[in-house]
């Protein structure tokens, strides 16, 4: 099933006044690794209230999904910083691989008492982690939501050259003397160039917000070694690898102008998923979570209502 959203209004406030009151910050130690997570409690529990575990993308942290959480006040959202990013420490004695991040999801769900009625949501790299986790743990969650899903191999097709250049960038930064390597990875010039490329909104206020978010949080990684491992994981896997094993209801939310997770690849992914829906938001690229959280939240709400039974 394929839907297309209408264009959202660019005048929507960036955050509601009630978001802070819903927010609770916590920490948990999982196999020796400190993990920070945030819970956004629902404003009144209704039959539609669900618990959604949210997995952010590469080099992001929980801040990236705040606008989506804000648009779902009737839901309970739990949003960790993945180990190695944000306020979470890097894994202790383990590689930052898709499989290891999947184990992190399993450990976190067990620690927080999250049962099989939980909804799992992943954005970008988080879509890879979430889908591979579900494929390896059938029945662990009830529905899977993938925003800007990585639907095809990053080293193939038109984006293959850019991916190879990015690999060289991360490998060079890992080999340089520590101070130079860290400076290269945290270069605000490079972060801004990335942000300018991905942002598609024409709203000046929202565009400034996107750039400020990337400037503030895109460099909040633990160390360059874990960052390189996570980057290689992000370009070495994709959702399509495990698509046929995802037998639960799956929602794909795609950006019409996404150059990282291209729309034709989303249609190919949709065709092989056993029980899936594709919703497309126009005039947005890989930053649905920043630029168009309102239609994304509407699609999530409708999808979960349709599968509440």
């Amino acid at each position: 099933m394929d839907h297309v959203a209408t264009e959202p209004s660019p005048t929507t406030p960036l955050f509601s006044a009630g978001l802070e009151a819903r927010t609770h910050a916590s920490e948990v130690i999982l196999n020796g690794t400190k993990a920070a997570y945030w819970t956004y409690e629902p404003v009144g529990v209704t039959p539609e209230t669900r618990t959604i575990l949210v997995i952010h993308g590469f080099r992001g942290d929980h801040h990236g999904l705040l606008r989506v959480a804000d648009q779902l006040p009737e839901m309970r959202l739990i949003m960790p910083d993945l180990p190695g990013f944000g306020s979470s420490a890097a894994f202790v004695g383990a590689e930052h691989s898709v499989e290891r991040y999947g184990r992190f999801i399993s450990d976190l769900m067990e620690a927080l008492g999250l049962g099989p009625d939980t909804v799992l949501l992943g954005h970008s790299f988080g879509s890879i982690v979430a889908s591979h986790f579900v494929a390896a743990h059938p029945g662990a969650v009830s529905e899977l939501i993938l925003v800007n899903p990585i639907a095809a191999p990053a080293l193939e097709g038109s984006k293959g050259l850019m991916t190879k250049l990015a690999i060289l960038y991360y490998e060079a930064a890992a080999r340089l003397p520590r101070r130079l390597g860290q400076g290269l990875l945290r270069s605000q010039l490079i972060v801004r160039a990335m942000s300018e490329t991905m942002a598609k909104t024409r709203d000046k206020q929202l565009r400034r917000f996107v750039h400020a978010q990337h400037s503030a949080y895109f460099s909040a990684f633990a160390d360059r070694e874990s960052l390189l491992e996570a980057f290689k994981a992000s370009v070495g896997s994709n959702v399509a690898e495990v698509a046929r094993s995802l037998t639960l209801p799956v929602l794909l939310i795609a950006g019409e102008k996404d150059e990282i997770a291209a729309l034709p690849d989303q249609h190919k992914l949709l065709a092989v998923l056993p029980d899936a829906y594709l919703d497309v938001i126009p005039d947005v690229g890989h930053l649905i979570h920043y630029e168009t959280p309102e239609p994304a939240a509407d699609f999530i709400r409708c999808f979960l209502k349709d599968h509440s039974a």
Side-chain angles (χ1 to χ4, degrees):
M1 185 176 296
D2 188 347
H3 302 113
V4 178
T6 56
E7 186 172 1
S9 168
T11 59
T12 303
L14 296 180
F15 293 109
S16 73
L19 181 63
E20 185 176 356
R22 296 174 55 205
T23 305
H24 301 278
S26 307
E27 290 183 356
V28 63
I29 304 296
L30 301 173
N31 294 306
T33 298
K34 183 198 78 171
Y37 67 95
W38 285 257
T39 304
Y40 301 86
E41 297 292 353
V43 180
V45 176
T46 72
E48 285 73 40
T49 298
R50 303 290 301 279
T51 295
I52 307 175
L53 178 59
V54 179
I55 308 301
H56 64 73
F58 176 70
R59 284 193 70 160
D61 63 16
H62 75 284
H63 289 94
L65 281 301
L66 281 181
R67 296 198 73 209
V68 177
D70 195 19
Q71 294 297 318
L72 294 167
E74 76 277 25
M75 303 293 179
R76 177 179 182 242
L77 290 95
I78 299 174
M79 297 171 25
D81 285 351
L82 288 177
F85 297 99
S87 298
S88 292
F91 286 128
V92 177
E95 183 180 1
H96 295 72
S97 63
V98 172
E99 181 182 9
R100 184 62 186 85
Y101 279 122
R103 183 180 168 192
F104 167 77
I105 293 177
S106 182
D107 291 343
L108 182 65
M109 290 186 66
E110 181 178 359
L112 301 185
L114 301 179
D117 57 341
T118 303
V119 180
L120 185 60
L121 183 153
H123 171 257
S124 190
F125 175 49
S127 74
I128 301 174
V129 173
S131 61
H132 280 247
F133 167 78
V134 170
H137 300 83
V141 298
S142 55
E143 293 96 4
L144 178 64
I145 299 169
L146 305 178
V147 181
N148 295 119
I150 306 301
L155 291 168
E156 297 178 6
S158 59
K159 60 182 180 292
L161 176 59
M162 293 304 297
T163 301
K164 291 173 184 176
L165 290 174
I167 292 173
L168 291 175
Y169 164 71
Y170 282 102
E171 288 183 338
R175 293 193 187 104
L176 286 170
R178 182 165 297 274
R179 184 175 179 182
L180 290 176
Q182 294 278 29
L184 180 61
L185 290 170
R186 292 192 164 101
S187 167
Q188 285 294 304
L189 182 63
I190 293 176
V191 170
R192 182 57 178 263
M194 174 279 304
S195 189
E196 289 284 1
T197 300
M198 290 201 294
K200 305 301 180 187
T201 179
R202 296 180 293 273
D203 179 353
K204 292 181 179 179
Q205 179 194 12
L206 181 53
R207 199 173 183 92
R208 285 194 298 269
F209 170 79
V210 169
H211 296 331
Q213 290 284 296
H214 284 140
S215 177
Y217 305 118
F218 202 68
S219 296
F221 55 87
D223 54 64
R224 56 186 180 162
E225 292 80 15
S226 61
L227 183 65
L228 176 61
E229 291 176 352
F231 175 72
K232 288 184 175 181
S234 74
V235 299
S237 298
N238 60 80
V239 178
E241 294 173 325
V242 295
R244 297 188 188 280
S245 299
L246 305 177
T247 56
L248 76 178
V250 179
L251 172 63
L252 310 175
I253 304 179
E256 178 192 27
K257 297 182 178 180
D258 195 337
E259 296 161 343
I260 295 174
L263 188 55
D265 291 331
Q266 308 304 324
H267 286 285
K268 293 176 184 177
L269 177 60
L270 177 68
V272 296
L273 286 165
D275 182 8
Y277 306 79
L278 171 64
D279 289 326
V280 180
I281 303 178
D283 296 323
V284 67
H286 204 63
L287 303 181
I288 285 173
H289 56 312
Y290 281 140
E291 296 185 8
T292 56
E294 299 91 347
D298 286 342
F299 287 139
I300 291 169
R301 185 177 291 110
C302 291
F303 171 73
L304 294 181
K305 184 176 181 180
D306 288 344
H307 294 87
S308 59

